[in-house]
Every structure is written in structure tokens, then in C-alpha cells.
Amino acid sequence: MESWTAAAPAVEGGGGSQSPAAAGDPDGRLEWRAPFVLDLPRTLGVHARGRGDPAYRVTPDGFIWRTSLTPEGPGTLRVTPARPAPPVAAPGTEPAGATLGSGPPGGAFGATPGPVTVVRAAAWGPGAAWLLRELPGMLGADDDRAGFHPAHPVLAGLAARHPGVRVGRSGRVLEALVPAVLEQKVVGVEARRAWRYLLLKFGDPAPGPAPAGMRVCPPPRIWRRIPSWEWHRAGVEGVRARTIIGAAEVAARLEEIVAMPADAADRRLRSLPGIGIWTSAEVRQRACGDADAVSVGDYHLPSAVGWALAGRVVDDAGMLDLLAPYAGHRHRAARLVELGGIRPPRRGPRMSVRDYRAF
């Protein structure tokens, strides 16, 4: 059972605007007692697109800053480094059908207490209240691990080493889709450079006292209007640019997938030109918290999974065979392999960096 409470958002000036004297005061705060071990950096870190991501920043004090264009407007979220807390036991047993927030204060049922992690957050901007309401989901409050019992010794060891890594959901599809499209068939440094350029050029400054240079993902109408020469300056060729523009044109329909079954969400995403099985999985992992969405077509993942679970390099089909025993949790299993850093020896050429700005 989970229990979470948030202070009522204190919005000044209407619509989240603030007076200069109160510019640093948050529009809302949250303290959530997560009833599980939580690895905050690795759980939220899947949303970071490199160290220079204008929408995600980790400061030297360990605070995680993240921006989002929420359904209620732009917002900035700051999450304090999580800390374990003494378990809280409550008398009785957990009632059938109990849901998030339905339990007693402390969020514990039953005589046997479990681990608790205290998460504190603050948010700024018109989207502050939405970000705080959705933060437990971002951190894996709805991540159901039932049925995930890895028998393979390597995977079992990785699961024991990373008990706090959750599969969370951001609830924002376009924000996950654009960087995923930018990563299609290019190396990471090229995709991260394009994402950084586009956000700095077209994103609005982050609300509140966010670290310098942070930006909010542009709305669909801005993505649709980016001129061809700006895509070129970002190093994005026409195919990826047209895919992003096409997605922005139907953004409202895409945002609906967070409430859809996984198969239906996949079909809707892949109905768009330029969105294939890999991009769909990358989006659903982050926006929907789909623990079964395998990144088929990834340049590195099949060899890593094959080497970890079979001691050999495999292709996509071989990877899916190895992950088949973990149906419902295949992305979770593959993520643990990635976290373990298990890779076959490098023998072939690395994927080269292509700078489309020079074409």
C-alpha cells in the first residue's frame, strides 16, 4: 500500500505567476512515504537525455530538477535525495481492492512492516500541482512486480543489487517521443546534441529557481512550426523532422495512450509514419511505465542481453527468446542487464557519428 500527501499548491497571482519577492517560493510541496526501497536517481534518470539535458538536471547537492509541459501548463519539479525511514506497521490486514491513498496514515497494513523511503519534492509554475500529484507514479507507485522472479543467476543477482529501481511513468507522451525519434539510427551524442539545441532554441525558460539554462519542452504547435533550416542546424535530417512534426499534429491523440492497454498504445504509436517497434517501446517505457516494452531494434541491447543470459551475442529474435520467461517484465529484465554493464568484448566497428549539419 502507498500513502502520499501533498501540501495544497500555494499559487500566487493566479495561473502560477509570482511576485519578484516570492520568485523562489514553491507553488506546491509534497512528502511521500514510498512503501518500498527506492533508487531515485536510476528511476527518474531514464528521462535524462545526457548531462546537458535542458529539461533534466542533477545539482551537486543531489537535488533532481525536471521540467514538463503538463496538461495544466509548464512546471518545474525539484526532488530531494530520497532517504530510508523506519517502517510503519498498522494493525489489521490489507483489505481487498485497496488503492493508492486509501490506507491509514503511514500507508501500511498488516503486522509485518516493509521498507519505507521518504521522498520530498517542490514544484513551481502552473503545472506544479499536476507534477506533485503525478510524482508517485513517476517513481513507480503503480509498478507491479508480481510474477517477476528471475531464476537466472545473473539476473537474480542484478535484481538483488538494484532493488530500488522502479519502472515509473511520466504521463507525457510527446516529451518522451521527440527525443526517442531524435535517437533513431544515430549515436547518442548526436541525438543529445539535437535535443539540447531544439529545447534551448524553442523551449520556454523553466518556472521558478531552476538551474540556469533549463527549458520546458515546447508545445505541439511549436514543434509543427520549426522551419527546415533549424532542423538542419540541430543536425536532424528530413525523415526524423517529418516524424516529429507528424506526431505533433496528432499530439492530443497520442497523449491518450497513457490510459490505454499496452497493445492498443503500441498500435496507435506505430500507426504514425516513422514510428516503429523500437520508438514505440522507448516511449511506452517512459510515458506509460510499461515494464514489458522491449526495445527491439536497439543497436546494443540484444548483444548485452545475450551475453548476460546466454554467454553469447544474439540478435533481436534471440533476445526475445531469452526474455520470454519474463513475459510482463521483459523491459525490467533488460534494464537490469543494462544497469549491470554486462557487454561482450568489442570487436566490430563502433557506430559512427554523422553530422547532418555538414550535408
Side-chain angles (χ1 to χ4, degrees), residues 70-343:
T70 78
E72 298 172 9
T76 301
L77 177 70
R78 185 192 68 194
V79 187
T80 304
R83 62 178 178 83
V88 177
T93 59
E94 181 176 349
T99 59
L100 179 66
S102 66
F109 285 93
T112 303
V116 173
T117 306
V118 176
V119 178
R120 292 189 174 94
W124 292 260
W130 188 93
L131 285 168
L132 294 176
R133 286 197 305 269
E134 297 298 317
L135 181 59
M138 295 182 209
L139 300 181
D142 304 313
D143 182 20
D144 186 359
R145 297 188 176 192
F148 183 64
H149 305 293
H152 192 286
V154 172
L155 202 56
L158 290 169
R161 194 186 312 167
H162 300 287
V165 176
R166 313 285 295 187
V167 181
R169 51 170 176 76
S170 71
R172 304 304 294 148
V173 175
L174 193 63
E175 292 180 8
L177 185 145
V178 172
V181 172
L182 294 175
E183 292 173 3
Q184 290 177 349
K185 302 184 185 305
V186 298
V187 297
V189 64
E190 182 182 344
R192 292 191 292 269
R193 181 179 61 205
W195 174 247
R196 185 165 56 249
Y197 176 88
L198 293 167
L199 256 63
L200 291 175
K201 183 75 174 180
F202 298 102
D204 286 335
M214 291 199 74
R215 295 289 188 274
V216 180
C217 184
R221 60 181 175 80
I222 298 297
W223 289 112
R224 293 196 299 265
R225 297 174 183 174
I226 295 177
S228 59
W229 57 87
E230 291 292 1
W231 291 110
H232 186 75
R233 288 172 180 167
V236 182
E237 88 296 341
V239 173
R240 287 181 293 159
R242 286 192 295 272
T243 299
I244 293 171
I245 293 169
E249 290 174 347
V250 294
R253 292 275 290 164
L254 292 180
E255 297 297 339
E256 294 173 356
I257 72 166
V258 298
M260 295 169 63
D263 289 348
D266 181 45
R267 284 195 300 271
R268 182 168 295 186
L269 282 167
R270 293 171 63 185
S271 69
L272 293 176
I275 305 296
I277 187 170
W278 180 87
T279 306
S280 172
E282 291 285 312
V283 172
R284 288 181 289 119
Q285 291 163 13
R286 293 166 174 81
C288 307
D290 190 341
D292 197 47
V294 188
S295 299
V296 174
D298 192 89
Y299 189 73
H300 301 287
L301 189 61
S303 60
V305 170
W307 199 258
L309 303 185
R312 66 179 188 277
V313 174
V314 300
D315 57 10
D316 283 326
M319 174 180 69
L320 292 176
D321 285 343
L322 291 170
L323 294 176
Y326 310 105
H329 303 274
R330 294 177 299 171
H331 166 57
R332 189 190 314 280
R335 170 85 169 127
L336 287 171
V337 170
E338 289 181 312
L339 289 173
I342 302 171
R343 297 285 188 275

